[in-house]
Amino acid sequence: MNQADRRVGGFLILLGAAFAVSMAFGVTLPLLPALLGRFIGSAEAGDVARHTGWLTGVYTAAMFALAPVWGALSDRIDRRIVMLAGLVGGALALTALDVIDGLAGLYAARIASGVFSAAVLPAVLGAVVDLSAPGERHRRFGAVAAAT
């Protein structure tokens, strides 16, 4: 396998990682009201909507706060380790949604999901720079954006 083939294969893996994180968020979001129904019972629709918003907010806030930290870490150590930590941690956080037994656990799982999801995109974008010739970076950044 030549160097160009390795770069294309590596780029496809990066696209898959970005896509996986995006899908994890997109698939979970419509399920939150049903998950909330398990824990807050016959609460009013306003309570479910409020918690759905807060659960989305804590996920997004965790990503916003920790993406720069993960990005700096991926610059210092191997980007693959950071991506792997993000993907594995995110998968465990999503799995936790099925086994938790309370509203606090649901919030903790969503925060953990945001924390680990925040690791993936900065590492992916850094790896795109590492793997791409300057003339092809703009197309690859566009492809990563499309994957998310």
Side-chain angles (χ1 to χ4, degrees):
M1 180 180 278
N2 66 30
Q3 185 68 16
D5 290 339
R6 267 198 300 274
R7 277 187 288 191
V8 169
F11 179 65
L12 292 175
I13 290 170
L14 296 175
L15 285 179
F19 181 74
V21 168
S22 179
M23 285 303 296
F25 174 76
V27 167
T28 305
L29 187 58
L31 299 176
L32 289 178
L35 287 170
L36 284 163
R38 288 187 354 207
F39 305 125
I40 59 178
S42 61
E44 295 184 17
D47 290 336
V48 172
R50 182 172 41 85
H51 283 292
T52 299
W54 277 106
L55 286 165
T56 303
V58 297
Y59 173 90
T60 306
M63 284 189 73
F64 177 77
L66 290 170
V69 174
W70 284 110
L73 187 61
S74 80
D75 287 342
R76 280 191 218 112
I77 65 172
D78 192 342
R79 295 188 200 287
R80 294 172 295 185
I81 293 170
V82 172
M83 272 187 274
L84 184 61
L87 291 169
V88 170
L92 292 173
L94 287 174
T95 302
L97 291 175
D98 194 39
V99 297
I100 56 171
D101 63 351
L103 193 57
L106 186 56
Y107 274 92
R110 288 304 288 164
I111 291 168
S113 185
V115 165
F116 287 108
S117 294
V120 177
L121 197 54
V124 164
L125 294 173
V128 166
V129 172
D130 296 343
L131 292 172
S132 305
E136 62 186 13
R137 286 184 187 148
H138 66 283
R139 283 191 308 275
R140 289 191 169 186
F141 281 134
V144 170
T148 60

